[in-house]
Amino acid sequence: QVQLVESGGGLVQPGGSLTLTCAASGSISSVRSMYWYRQAPGKQRELVASITAGGQTKYGVSVNGRFTISRNNAKNTIYLQMNSLKPEDTAVYYCNANVYTSYYDGDNYWGQGTQVTVSS
């Protein structure tokens, strides 16, 4: 089985910074694109950032220029560096990844989420 485990959430003041980590573990052959999503109370889940196995990145409009996604392929881990945080960034942040357990068998997996709260 494959697990995605997020860490690094917490309470931070507006203007502050936080780094989230998501590590994939289990019977992994390869990890393709990986994603960060977030969901605020009463709102739909939205895509925050994505990164391919080759390192190409994309960002949501609301976080572009403030957040940076990166990955360590050797550790099957991605990071989300969040700077200049705003109260509207408050949400549960979820990791998502396309993981192959063999050359042919792949699936999409979600982490359990980590809470980020931006408040003074």
Side-chain angles (χ1 to χ4, degrees):
Q1 279 292 346
V2 173
Q3 283 189 321
L4 300 181
V5 178
E6 302 104 330
S7 60
L11 173 64
V12 63
Q13 291 187 341
S17 298
L18 210 57
T19 299
L20 305 182
T21 300
C22 170
S25 63
S27 181
I28 297 173
S29 174
S30 65
V31 182
R32 310 294 173 86
S33 292
M34 301 184 76
Y35 308 84
W36 286 104
Y37 285 81
R38 68 185 181 186
Q39 188 166 20
K43 294 188 177 181
Q44 288 188 332
R45 191 170 296 189
E46 66 169 337
L47 178 63
V48 175
S50 65
I51 187 166
T52 67
Q56 290 182 315
T57 60
K58 290 184 179 180
Y59 297 92
V61 172
S62 62
V63 306
N64 196 24
R66 299 187 297 123
F67 290 10
T68 301
I69 188 171
S70 60
R71 70 187 285 167
N72 182 326
N73 288 334
K75 296 183 178 180
N76 292 325
T77 299
I78 59 169
Y79 309 91
L80 186 68
Q81 173 67 43
M82 305 184 292
N83 297 326
S84 303
L85 282 161
K86 305 174 182 180
E88 50 264 43
D89 294 317
T90 296
V92 178
Y93 283 70
Y94 296 92
C95 177
N96 178 272
N98 297 319
V99 181
Y100 279 69
T101 54
S102 70
Y103 186 83
Y104 297 104
D105 294 328
D107 207 342
N108 185 260
Y109 296 86
W110 288 93
Q112 81 288 353
T114 185
Q115 176 70 47
V116 171
T117 303
V118 184
S119 175
S120 55

